[in-house]
Amino acid sequence: MPTVEVAGLADGDFLLDVREDDEWQAGHAEGALHIPISEFVARYGEFTEAAPQDGPVHVICRSGGRSAQVTMYLVQQGIDAVNVDGGMQIWAASGRAVVDAKGQPGFVL
């Protein structure tokens, strides 16, 4: 499965967060698209409208398990998808910004 380290992500890379609503509201990467794994298939059209046509989709969750499942699904659909190794835990630990639902400093739940 295609994987990328958090350090390998550049500002502006497309990020898909598949964590649940309470996790997202507590803290997420600013600019990420949020579609919970539990709703992903039903909201697939929303994803395809937002996803880049000419670049990879970086899929993230808390630690990498749920995002790996979604990455595998997307790859099977022919999407250039990459799992973010270590997820939001590594994102936050590496000093990347985490914001809550109100745009204030957040935390990884």
Side-chain angles (χ1 to χ4, degrees):
M1 172 182 25
T3 304
V4 66
E5 301 285 328
V6 168
L9 294 172
D11 290 342
D13 282 347
F14 185 84
L15 195 63
L16 170 65
D17 190 324
V18 298
R19 296 174 304 143
E20 295 303 319
D21 286 333
D22 60 335
E23 295 172 286
W24 170 265
Q25 290 179 18
H28 57 271
E30 193 168 11
L33 173 65
H34 177 231
I35 302 178
I37 190 172
S38 61
E39 301 173 12
F40 192 76
V41 174
R43 293 175 59 187
Y44 187 75
E46 182 181 334
F47 161 75
T48 58
E49 287 180 17
Q53 302 301 311
D54 59 351
V57 172
H58 301 91
V59 187
I60 198 166
C61 66
R62 183 173 187 267
S63 62
R66 290 172 285 178
S67 56
Q69 293 176 38
V70 173
T71 299
M72 294 284 284
Y73 174 78
L74 292 173
V75 167
Q76 290 172 351
Q77 306 307 310
I79 305 289
D80 182 8
V82 182
N83 187 39
V84 179
D85 192 38
M88 286 300 297
Q89 289 179 318
I90 300 299
W91 179 278
S94 65
R96 299 250 184 158
V98 177
V99 297
D100 68 12
K102 296 178 181 175
Q104 300 299 313
F107 62 94
V108 178
L109 183 64

